[in-house]
Amino acid sequence: MTESEQPSVPLSTLLADPSLGLRRIAGPARDHLVRVSTVGTTEIEDPTPYLVGGQLLLTAGVRLPRDAEGIDTYVRQVVAAGVSALGFGVAPVHEEVPPELIAACDRHGLPLLRLPPATPFVAVGRAAYAAIAEDRNRELREISRARSALATAAARPDALRAMLAQLSAHTGAWAVLHDARGTELFSAGPRPASPTPGRVRDLAVRTIARVRARTGPAGHSAPAAAADHQDGTHLTVHTLPGADGVTTTLALGQAATTAPTLVHRQVTGTATVLLALLTSPRYALGTDTHSAGALVRLMLGATPAEVAPDLAPTGTTENDTTETHTKETEQSWVVVRGHHTPPRSTQAPQPGDDPAQLATLATALRTPYLHVDGAELKALVPSAPAARPEAPAQAAELGWVLGFSTPASASDLPYADRQAERALQRAIAAGVPAVVHTEDPLTVHGLVPAADARDLARTRFAPLDRAGAPGASVLLGTLRTWLSLHGSWDRTAATLHVHRNTVRHRLARVGELLDVDLQDPGVRMELWFALHWLPDEAVEADEAAE
């Protein structure tokens, strides 16, 4: 991330905060253009070795030079180090801002703020970081809205034109798609006056040629970007990632009267990937378009229930309404969680590095929907509603311990995922290759209404929200693992890849916040019951957003 992309806030925002009482007394009047990315405090004669740029530097002048020449040198040094503004707190060292400092800041173009005695330095930092966080949240909301619009456009019959139109609307730039010869295929947004379109075309042709010149021996090429700024116009070009082993032949060009922001770059990056998908040979030939479209929709906000019919095994036709309805209503999924534990005597390759192992595992589980991240596995297996999952022997031979959920509809996948995770923990604790989750109606879980059980779980673990680092989610995960391993400190530490003292510290914190004795079997039983019904925070956040 470049310095210009660091989260920051305009200096004018801090000056407008009445609780701070800040006042600019020197420097140019361009407070809305000056960006503050961090707030620092210094009382040393030369703070430049400790500055990274973009700071609002606060000082009470404890070690400020006493003569005008020394003050001028101080200001010149902090300006050279990239300080955005200087804040001077009056009292107790200086009753007022030294006039020599005011003159030096005016001379070197450094905004100088006066902090009244009632404003502590920490209050300025707190206000700055709160404003930065709010600005970042606004950017994330803008990115989310733009990505949703791009995903909707990608599903339209005129997907390329629709996507360029949405890209232009959310970035304020003229958007154009060029081929390697410079032919303008599609464009959207207000067309700039000549010679800007020609400059975008020439930049696109040169960038595509440069990428194709360094294409690897397998025919794959990495996407590249180029930019040009001239006469108040900002030009950018992004080559589309090579798809299906084909060298890049298309480029997305943009022309705007303002420099692209971080939001614009994020939105353009999403559009580039989607355009590459829409223009790939596999998509153009109509091969597996349902699965590709489902993946795009899922990545950009669609729910699992909405995309599940396109991922389910084929075998029905669009004209057979009865069969299609049956497929959509009866299709279920089994969630699989796995952990790789190869025998100590073997030097097995790291999971995910061996394509043959991945292919074998996918074949054994009978699903293409498989994700391996280091030693962790997640998979979705299409299933009939009443089917009982079976653990394949090949998985154990490859060093995998697996946990299976019961078949669930797409809308219940988060709950099935928790079933699979608990089954995996039981398999690890028991030292067996796999455990399949079973539903037993004669358990306590079957006696308590689900809504009441979820409310109990929320209430029971609410005190953990007051926990500091490492956070409530880490404490809950440690507690769940420790209980699933029958209170074994060493096995819990090994499973979580942390030191056993870290496990003890976390659980001591859990016991303190919940005001319970974790050595009491009754308490453990109660907490295990509550953990079973604790709602998934990510799912709740998604539901709240809808």
Side-chain angles (χ1 to χ4, degrees):
M1 180 180 293
T2 64
E3 182 177 329
S4 61
E5 293 175 337
Q6 290 289 341
S8 61
V9 64
L11 182 61
S12 57
T13 300
L14 300 179
L15 289 171
D17 189 336
S19 66
L20 299 178
L22 304 180
R23 181 164 56 91
R24 182 177 52 79
I25 59 175
R30 48 185 179 88
D31 305 325
H32 63 291
L33 298 178
V34 177
R35 308 289 299 189
V36 174
S37 59
T38 186
V39 177
T41 302
T42 181
E43 298 299 348
I44 60 178
E45 294 178 358
D46 181 14
T48 54
Y50 310 101
L51 302 177
V52 294
Q55 290 105 332
L56 168 57
L57 189 62
L58 305 179
T59 180
V62 176
R63 303 294 295 276
L64 188 71
R66 299 300 178 181
D67 60 296
E69 182 178 355
I71 291 177
D72 186 85
T73 300
Y74 178 89
V75 173
R76 186 174 66 253
Q77 287 176 336
V78 298
V79 169
V83 167
S84 296
L86 183 66
F88 194 91
V90 297
V93 181
H94 295 266
E95 294 184 0
E96 196 48 71
V97 182
E100 295 85 358
L101 181 61
I102 296 176
C105 288
D106 275 331
R107 190 160 46 250
H108 294 286
L110 178 66
L112 175 62
L113 311 184
R114 179 187 184 275
L115 277 69
T119 300
F121 286 2
V122 68
V124 179
R126 187 183 300 117
Y129 298 134
I132 289 173
E134 174 56 31
D135 194 56
R136 181 57 176 162
N137 288 335
R138 178 188 56 78
E139 291 178 344
L140 292 176
R141 290 192 294 269
E142 290 182 14
I143 293 172
S144 178
R145 286 193 294 267
R147 285 177 171 173
S148 177
L150 289 172
T152 301
R156 290 181 47 170
D158 58 339
L160 293 177
R161 293 184 185 275
M163 284 194 59
L164 289 179
Q166 289 297 332
L167 178 62
S168 176
H170 286 277
T171 61
W174 178 61
V176 58
L177 194 63
H178 284 292
D179 65 11
R181 295 186 298 272
T183 305
E184 185 177 307
L185 304 177
F186 301 98
S187 68
R191 188 179 186 86
S194 181
T196 298
R199 290 171 51 208
V200 175
R201 180 191 63 244
D202 294 343
L203 186 60
V205 171
R206 293 196 305 270
T207 306
I208 293 175
R210 186 174 71 251
V211 172
R212 298 178 73 175
R214 66 169 187 255
T215 299
H220 294 279
S221 59
D228 185 20
H229 177 214
Q230 195 175 81
D231 300 329
T233 302
H234 297 263
L235 310 182
T236 57
V237 164
H238 294 78
T239 62
L240 302 190
D244 301 313
V246 177
T247 303
T248 297
T249 57
L250 299 175
L252 170 65
Q254 294 172 286
T257 56
T258 58
T261 65
L262 176 61
V263 173
H264 295 163
R265 292 188 180 96
Q266 292 284 341
V267 174
T268 299
T270 298
T272 301
V273 173
L274 293 179
L275 286 170
L277 172 65
L278 292 171
T279 56
S280 68
R282 178 162 54 184
Y283 185 91
L285 294 174
T287 304
D288 198 27
T289 55
H290 288 293
S291 294
L295 177 60
V296 171
R297 291 162 57 205
L298 186 64
M299 291 178 66
L300 298 175
T303 65
E306 291 172 334
V307 304
D310 289 336
L311 296 176
T314 58
T316 60
T317 63
E318 295 180 358
N319 296 328
D320 192 336
T321 305
T322 301
E323 290 184 5
T324 301
H325 176 73
T326 300
K327 182 186 80 170
E328 293 183 8
T329 56
E330 293 187 358
Q331 178 63 46
S332 296
W333 302 83
V334 171
V335 179
V336 183
R337 287 290 195 110
H339 183 74
H340 194 250
T341 55
R344 295 182 180 180
S345 60
T346 63
Q347 296 295 326
Q350 183 68 15
D353 292 342
D354 186 354
Q357 182 181 140
L358 286 178
T360 303
L361 188 59
T363 302
L365 292 173
R366 299 180 181 179
T367 179
Y369 308 120
L370 181 145
H371 171 69
V372 175
D373 182 10
E376 304 303 321
L377 160 72
K378 296 180 182 179
L380 284 176
V381 181
S383 171
R388 176 175 173 79
E390 295 183 2
Q394 297 96 322
E397 294 172 358
L398 293 171
W400 288 96
V401 179
L402 303 177
F404 292 77
S405 75
T406 56
S409 64
S411 59
D412 290 331
L413 283 178
Y415 181 68
D417 185 42
R418 293 195 292 275
Q419 288 183 344
E421 183 179 6
R422 289 194 292 270
L424 173 61
Q425 295 296 337
R426 292 199 297 272
I428 295 174
V432 297
V435 166
V436 177
H437 181 83
T438 57
E439 294 286 2
D440 186 355
L442 298 180
T443 65
V444 176
H445 296 293
L447 300 177
V448 181
D452 293 341
R454 283 191 290 268
D455 289 341
L456 171 64
R458 289 191 184 96
T459 302
R460 192 70 188 86
F461 293 110
L464 296 186
D465 293 335
R466 301 193 302 269
S473 61
V474 174
L475 295 179
L476 283 171
T478 304
L479 176 63
R480 188 191 302 276
T481 303
W482 183 69
L483 291 174
S484 71
L485 296 174
H486 310 293
S488 171
W489 307 102
D490 292 332
R491 293 166 68 188
T492 301
T495 301
L496 298 177
H497 305 291
V498 298
H499 195 275
R500 69 194 309 269
N501 288 341
T502 300
V503 175
R504 289 183 176 274
H505 177 74
R506 291 178 183 176
L507 291 175
R509 183 62 175 152
V510 170
E512 177 186 354
L513 290 170
L514 299 183
D515 193 22
V516 296
D517 179 9
L518 293 179
Q519 300 306 316
D520 186 338
V523 170
R524 295 192 190 187
M525 180 188 68
E526 174 194 342
L527 296 179
W528 184 251
F529 176 90
L531 283 170
H532 178 88
W533 288 102
L534 189 65
D536 186 78
E537 295 177 357
V539 174
E540 288 193 321
D542 291 343
E543 292 175 350
E546 294 174 359

